[in-house]
Amino acid sequence: MEFLAYGAFFLTTALIFSLITLGLNLQWGLTGLFNVGLAGFVAIGAYTSAILTTPDDAARIGGFDLPILLGWLAAMIVAGAVAAVIGAATLRLRSDYLAITTFGVAVVVQLVALNAQGLTGGPFGVGFIPRPFGSLAENPIVFNFANLAIVAVVTLVFFLALEHLARSPWGRVLKALREDEKAAASLGKSARAYRIQAFALGGAIMGLAGAVQAHFIGFIAPENYLPTLTFQVWTMLIVGGSGSNRGAVLGSVLVWAIWVGSGAAVSALVPTDQQARAAALQIVSIGVMLCVILLVRPMGILGGTPKRKAPAEPAAGRP
Amino acid sequence: MNMQFLVDGLLTGSMIGLGAIGVTLTYSILRFSNFSHGDLMAWGTYATLMFVGAITALFGKVAPIAPLSFGWPLLLALALGMLFTGGLALLLDKILFQRLRAKGQMIIVVMASFGASMALRSLLEFLFTSSPAYFSRAIQIAKPIGFGIRITPDQIALLLLTAALVTAVHLLMTRSQIGREMRAVSQNIGLARVVGIDVARVVRFTWLIGGALACVAGVMIGVLVQIRPLMGFDMLLPVFAAAILGGIGSIPGAVLGGLIIGLSEAAAVQIFGAEWRAAIAFVILMAVLFVRPIGLFGVGER
């Protein structure tokens, strides 16, 4: 029974990662936009929803006690809006500028989360985030499965929507822009406008994932949104195969299983005083894995279909 | 306003500027933004720390040079550390970046540099743990030099070292054959090849110079603040912002950009408090991207 409850818990976390990875796949896999600060967008969603839905708290602004669904909607809107502004600033420039700027977003969001205590609770974070089935919490199995069901439904809805989008005229324009910007532009498609839309939508999905996770755990703090998160999600997408939504989901579950498994092995086998070092080594091995996959099989497990080409910069980055 | 921010800003600006030279060189010659550059700084610093330890073990405790907190061992170790970091950058290029560059997808190289950054940083945490280390625990007395400004002998020495290095790199780029070749490759790699420039040699030099300067920037942080595995990664945003503010490819621009960001940070610390320091680089970066994306001394994209 405990095993079942844990399985549900594991799968819920993995599916939340899948949702982030789906957002990243829209930005990177479909459109070729490089987001190195996705932890920032996840954090924006999580904090937005937490501030709107928690009960009143004298120590900080917010605590509006709004319904959870409203919090999730707001998380999407705020994270999407931030992504749109970032996109508007950088998407007319070389792709590296977007990478550097998103990196900056993550740094600044982290800074705000840590220091704007009146808004975010500072290093102690926000607690008492309402959980969708809080009343079921006495029975862990029912509770975990109820959570799993919600997260699975949300992920499935976005998976199907993204699959549909990728095949729609809108998605075809994005692919065309990724493969050959000049040809697409000559057909009257505004590269910048389409990219900003895709980047904003991807950011919104990441924000939603952050919010869902916040309500699933019930507590958020700045250290949940460190660059390690960005790195994990990137590895998930690359392992699964960028460009493929199924790959994004599969890669998330697989990498999360490896992560959790190696983490459990570390805490079981390594003496307590050495565990921080072993955890560092765990990140080293994942980083090496990412680089090796990029070298050996850059299209990932499910991304290797011959008709899909790698997202390439036209003529090695020189427009 | 307390004028002390000028000294603090110049020092931070020197560290940022030295890092930005490496970023701007890799960007203009190899055409990708190297997210592992900050971690080269940290590796260079730890390498220098190890070399200092080795020298002390060989020659016993050496007395520091009169007013400074460090003696010749640190200078020798710094030279060795610069070589080591340049070599590390070359190695990274050889096993990772070069192969991905050959496939012609520059953004994949950026991603690989992100993965390499994570691995390098965590490897430092594994080897040295995340608790800070120091070159010297001696406390220096800051001497007043007028206008309410105080400065320590170490700080003067490091500012002079930065000025000397920046001048040397500038002369190298403008007066020497390899410098001319580097500029030629950054302007048009195909044409450079046609006129017989050995591009592989230019790439090697780029990594060596970038790595060596990253090491100096890291050691400056180590001498003036402390040594941590995250020290370089935390500098990455200001370093990128400085390179873009100065204009990609411009070495004077990178240094000037570094100084502007360093001084703005120091001024902001007085106004908003130290906890918001890291946001300044982002604000400047966004302003540059909206107003003048090619930067101060940049030229249009080619």
Side-chain angles (χ1 to χ4, degrees), chain A residues 28 34 36 89-90 92-94 96-97 101 105 108 111 115 228 231 234 238 277 280 283-284 295 310 318, chain B residues 27 31 33 103 105-107 110-111 114 118-119 122-123 126-127 189 275 279 282 286 289-290 293 301:
Chain A
W28 165 253
F34 194 63
V36 214
T90 54
R92 64 210 158 107
L93 308 169
R94 264 196 56 176
D96 294 63
Y97 284 61
T101 313
V105 169
V108 172
L111 214 57
N115 295 317
T228 314
F231 173 66
W234 268 104
I238 300 296
R277 302 181 85 174
I283 299 180
V284 175
L295 278 172
R318 270 183 289 169
Chain B
Y27 199 125
R31 298 195 159 73
S33 22
K103 295 183 184 172
Q105 298 165 20
M106 292 322 280
I107 202 75
V110 180
M111 189 193 299
F114 188 66
M118 206 79 197
S122 301
L123 196 55
F126 171 71
L127 293 172
I189 194 166
E275 66 269 30
F282 183 73
M286 286 303 276
L289 291 184
F290 268 114
E301 288 200 357

Side-chain angles (χ1 to χ4, degrees), chain B residues 62-83:
Chain B
V62 181
I65 305 167
L68 303 174
S69 77
F70 52 84
W72 64 264
L74 180 66
L75 296 176
L76 178 61
L78 176 61
L80 294 172
M82 288 166 76
L83 270 179

Side-chain angles (χ1 to χ4, degrees), chain B residues 207-294:
Chain B
W207 284 116
L208 275 178
I209 295 176
L213 292 179
C215 176
V216 179
V219 170
M220 274 183 84
I221 303 173
V223 169
L224 298 176
V225 195
Q226 55 178 205
I227 309 170
R228 292 175 303 127
L230 272 174
M231 60 189 277
F233 191 70
D234 288 344
M235 290 293 280
L236 202 53
L237 183 59
V239 161
F240 274 133
I244 291 176
L245 170 61
I248 287 297
S250 161
I251 288 181
V255 176
L256 187 66
L259 291 178
I260 292 175
I261 289 178
L263 287 168
S264 320
E265 280 190 356
V269 165
Q270 289 204 356
I271 301 168
F272 304 107
E275 66 269 30
W276 295 104
R277 172 190 278 263
I280 302 305
F282 183 73
V283 171
I284 293 178
L285 173 68
M286 286 303 276
V288 175
L289 291 184
F290 268 114
V291 178
R292 189 178 159 81
I294 60 169

Side-chain angles (χ1 to χ4, degrees), chain A residues 6 42 49 92-93 122 159 197 200 206 236 243 265 303 308:
Chain A
Y6 181 76
V42 176
S49 189
R92 64 210 158 107
L93 308 169
F159 174 83
Q197 290 163 15
M206 292 169 186
M236 289 166 178
R308 197 181 282 117

